[in-house]
Amino acid sequence: MSAPSQPTPQVPLRSTPQVPLRSRPGDAADVARVWDARADRYLELFRHELAGKPFDREVLAAFAGRVGAGGRVRDAGCGPCGHVTALLAGHGLDVLGVDLSPRCVELARREHPGCRFEVMDQRAGGDRLDGLVSYYSLHDQPKSELAGTFAAWARLLRPGGELLVVAKEGTGDGVVDDPLGTGLRVYWAEFAASELEAAARAAGFVIGEITTREAYDDEIPTRRIYLPATRP
Ligand SMILES: C[S@@+](CC[C@H](N)C(=O)[O-])C[C@H]1O[C@@H](n2cnc3c(N)ncnc32)[C@H](O)[C@@H]1O
């Protein structure tokens, strides 16, 4: 007599991964990891940088003037210094500084206890805003994400809302050795003014007067782009 057959166990051919897949250079998890590691060094180097940047202070003041006192604004990628958030708050705006890196947010809160900071992706949705500033927050992610970022900002701003993008000029778009000297490999993208303009236009923004300036003596020697735009 043959032994009764055992039920065949239902073993899936491939098991579903229970742990998240590894992050790719330049994705949100990678930006958070890299900036957590370099936040303290960045703060040490750049805590007082706006004091020596009269042109930038003027551009930010002009942005604040366009938004108007009390306007609700996001400082996208506020970093550990939180100084753009603080400067805009000083111009009477209701600003929230956001960053993917918890360490950046922790340090920014410590630097400016009177300001608001939260761990958040700069592209995250939320209540409609009167303005959004991106002060060097586009460099950590691939250029292929540029269109999606501008589209997210267009959704976030109310009609008539103001955008200001500040970025370094160049052609880079890949992984490099950290220029801050942390020994990390970091994602680094640079832009032409025409690329930023095209992405903003494609997202429906009306572009204002784009300006550029040479680097100051104590800055990384790349030209800076200032792109103001309005959501119609
Ligand atoms: C070069 S730092 C500039 C920080 C600050 N704006 C300043 O000028 O001091 C870039 C910052 O953008 C943040 N960042 C990059 N991509 C981001 C994203 N998708 N969402 C939120 N923060 C982001 C980084 O974590 C980093 O703190």
Side-chain angles (χ1 to χ4, degrees):
M1 208 169 100
S2 61
S5 64
Q6 298 293 316
T8 312
Q10 296 296 307
V11 180
L13 287 176
R14 291 204 348 233
S15 61
T16 311
Q18 297 300 307
V19 287
L21 297 170
R22 282 171 62 83
S23 67
R24 287 177 291 111
D27 73 8
D30 184 63
V31 172
R33 177 186 65 83
V34 162
W35 274 97
D36 275 356
R38 60 207 307 231
D40 290 71
R41 176 74 181 134
Y42 191 85
L43 177 62
E44 205 176 285
L45 291 172
F46 298 114
R47 176 184 270 132
H48 302 299
E49 72 163 341
L50 281 178
K53 293 188 170 192
F55 184 79
D56 296 59
R57 291 200 309 275
E58 250 177 58
V59 170
L60 289 163
F63 167 82
R66 284 196 300 279
V67 172
R72 287 157 310 136
V73 168
R74 178 179 292 182
D75 174 13
C78 60
C81 309
H83 46 198
V84 170
T85 304
L87 187 144
L88 295 176
H91 283 289
L93 301 185
D94 175 9
V95 199
L96 176 66
V98 309
D99 205 288
L100 276 172
S101 152
R103 181 62 180 160
C104 283
V105 167
E106 186 184 350
L107 292 174
R109 283 180 180 149
R110 199 173 75 191
E111 287 295 295
H112 303 284
C115 292
R116 293 184 301 129
F117 299 97
E118 273 179 29
V119 177
M120 191 193 286
D121 194 302
Q122 62 183 352
R123 300 160 293 193
D127 291 342
R128 282 291 180 87
L129 296 174
D130 301 305
L132 184 144
V133 172
S134 160
Y135 196 77
Y136 301 118
S137 72
L138 288 174
H139 298 290
D140 302 296
Q141 301 196 274
K143 283 189 192 202
S144 56
E145 297 195 13
L146 195 61
T149 301
F150 274 97
W153 290 343
R155 285 192 296 275
L156 194 54
L157 288 169
R158 67 162 173 80
E162 291 290 334
L163 175 70
L164 174 67
V165 175
V166 180
K168 297 195 180 89
E169 194 178 77
T171 56
D173 190 23
V175 177
V176 298
D177 288 333
D178 185 359
L180 300 184
T182 57
L184 293 168
R185 298 275 291 160
V186 302
Y187 204 92
W188 183 246
E190 297 164 317
F191 304 93
S194 57
E195 278 175 303
L196 296 177
E197 183 179 356
R201 214 181 280 289
F205 284 99
V206 173
I207 315 300
E209 190 182 344
I210 300 175
T211 47
T212 57
R213 70 161 171 84
E214 298 299 335
Y216 293 128
D217 288 346
D218 57 350
E219 287 181 326
I220 295 172
T222 51
R223 284 163 64 81
R224 317 291 156 129
I225 305 164
Y226 300 80
L227 179 142
T230 308
R231 183 177 182 275

